[in-house]
């Protein structure tokens, strides 16, 4: 079988990976020299902790298993099974963590409520003041800026993979084929369009208006911390954002503790993970109203700096980079992904939202299984 994959972000790359793993030939087409979108502009977190119970959690756990297996073979991914800690500062926040730790699926996530001293034993860099922390053992991390490059190198080594950069696919031609902007037609037994947040042009032409929206975020990265941050770190605003934390305790938190005005205005949470070079990737904001701003705002960065410094108990290293990114998210956020047959032999896979880096191996595996690869 020959599979044509359009889009070299993490979702597209994982579709190419599963096709090659099953013995098929892949032609992988990317409109840039290499992927430049949300697949690079994220935390690199394999984030199990906040996922909704049921299909979303099952997908994340399967993806976590796949990431670990692929990481053992492709060292350039930088896979680390580091877990995460969410420090809580008061009884209202602690009650949400306790409710999460009492979920029926808490063991699958590796949830455990730790005292402050226990949390510092797991992550000694957390020298600030907090009462307790929710530990999630199943969370992990990879290096987002290099993951696709490492996977591509491994794919090229198989001899069954061809990468065609700097080509924008303009048309779907009959069955199982696409035409790029150089006029070349690429045909096979199946075509998978993994175009990320590019929802106009070809996508609108072949699929119409789909129930997927674009979301913009702001993030930053620091110089090396100078010491290990042994886990990912979140704050209690993540309780307000992720569906796993829905509970009566969360309702009480929302009623009894107003969110910081800057965090509320920009729909923020803190997530933080250390890169292999020692720097910290920190975010993020969520903007849903179009048209998106073309610039970044400083208030969210100042808020994130204050929160991080309060957990570390020390000044943040110099900010090395700031950026904005845009990803595609299903309008019905309970859906893991939008997968649609748009022509005979042609499928569109998009809209995983902030789950893309976490869930892409399992999303692609499901596609491969459903298409009978």
């Amino acid at each position: 079988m020959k599979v044509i994959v359009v889009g070299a972000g993490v979702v597209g790359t994982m579709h190419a990976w599963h096709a090659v793993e099953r013995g098929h030939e892949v032609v992988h087409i990317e409109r840039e020299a290499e992927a430049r979108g949300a697949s690079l502009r994220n935390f690199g977190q394999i984030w199990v902790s906040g996922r909704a119970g049921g299909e979303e959690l099952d997908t994340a756990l399967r993806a976590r298993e796949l990431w670990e297996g692929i990481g053992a073979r492709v060292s350039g991914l930088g896979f680390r099974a580091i877990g995460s800690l969410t420090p809580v500062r008061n009884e209202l926040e602690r009650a949400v963590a306790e409710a999460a730790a009492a979920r029926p699926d808490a063991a699958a996530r590796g949830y455990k409520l730790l005292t402050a001293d226990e949390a510092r034993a797991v992550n000694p860099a957390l020298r600030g003041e907090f009462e307790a922390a929710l530990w999630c053992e199943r969370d992990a991390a990879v290096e987002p800026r290099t993951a696709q490059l490492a996977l591509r190198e491994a794919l090229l080594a198989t001899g069954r993979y061809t990468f065609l950069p700097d080509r924008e696919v303009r048309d779907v031609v009959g069955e199982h084929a696409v035409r790029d902007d150089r006029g070349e037609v690429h045909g096979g037994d199946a075509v998978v369009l993994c175009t990320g947040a590019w929802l106009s042009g070809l996508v609108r032409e072949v699929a119409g208006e789909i129930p997927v929206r674009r979301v913009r975020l702001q993030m930053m990265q620091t110089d090396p911390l100078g010491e290990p941050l042994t886990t990912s770190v979140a704050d209690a605003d993540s309780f307000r954002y992720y569906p796993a934390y829905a509970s009566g305790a969360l309702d009480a938190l929302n009623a009894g503790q107003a969110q910081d005005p800057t965090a509320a205005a920009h729909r923020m949470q803190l997530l933080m993970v250390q890169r292999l070079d020692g720097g910290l990737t920190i975010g993020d904001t969520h903007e849903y109203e179009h048209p998106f701003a073309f610039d970044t705002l400083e208030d969210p960065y100042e808020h994130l700096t204050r929160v991080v410094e309060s957990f570390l108990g020390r000044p943040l290293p110099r900010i090395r980079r700031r950026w904005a990114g845009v990803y595609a998210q299903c309008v019905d956020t309970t859906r893991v992904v939008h997968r649609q047959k748009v022509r005979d032999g042609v499928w569109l896979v998009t809209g995983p939202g902030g789950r893309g880096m976490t869930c892409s191996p399992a999303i692609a595996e499901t596609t491969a299984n459903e298409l009978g690869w």
Side-chain angles (χ1 to χ4, degrees), residues 88-98 131-132 249 252-253 257:
V88 296
R89 303 180 187 276
N90 55 51
E91 287 305 311
L92 285 172
E93 294 178 358
R94 183 189 182 108
V96 181
E98 289 174 341
E131 289 190 2
L253 173 67
Q257 179 175 306

Side-chain angles (χ1 to χ4, degrees), residues 17 74-77 146-155:
W17 178 272
V74 183
S75 61
L77 290 181
T146 58
Q148 279 72 246
L149 300 178
L151 288 167
R152 188 189 311 155
E153 184 178 351
L155 287 166

Side-chain angles (χ1 to χ4, degrees), residues 192-206:
V192 185
L193 306 174
C194 302
T195 55
W198 178 36
L199 302 176
S200 59
L202 175 70
V203 172
R204 184 174 293 137
E205 182 177 323
V206 300

Side-chain angles (χ1 to χ4, degrees), residues 159-238:
R160 297 192 302 277
Y161 173 84
T162 301
F163 181 61
L164 300 178
D166 293 316
R167 295 169 184 253
E168 183 171 316
V169 171
R170 294 287 179 84
D171 301 294
V172 173
V173 184
E175 298 180 7
H176 314 147
V178 296
R179 180 185 291 113
D180 67 28
D181 57 1
R182 303 185 187 196
E184 295 185 28
V185 174
H186 309 275
D189 300 287
V191 175
V192 185
L193 306 174
C194 302
T195 55
W198 178 36
L199 302 176
S200 59
L202 175 70
V203 172
R204 184 174 293 137
E205 182 177 323
V206 300
E209 296 296 332
I210 61 175
V212 176
R213 63 181 176 180
R214 299 167 80 237
V215 182
R216 183 178 185 266
L217 56 82
Q218 287 186 203
M219 295 175 61
M220 63 183 178
Q221 187 170 333
T222 73
D223 280 343
L225 182 63
E227 63 179 320
L229 186 78
T230 56
T231 71
S232 296
V233 177
D235 74 346
D237 279 340
S238 67

Side-chain angles (χ1 to χ4, degrees), residues 6-30:
V6 179
V10 68
V11 174
T13 301
M14 282 298 177
H15 278 81
W17 178 272
H18 280 286
V20 169
E21 282 287 283
R22 298 177 186 212
H24 306 311
E25 178 186 352
V26 169
V27 175
H28 198 178
I29 307 172
E30 166 58 38

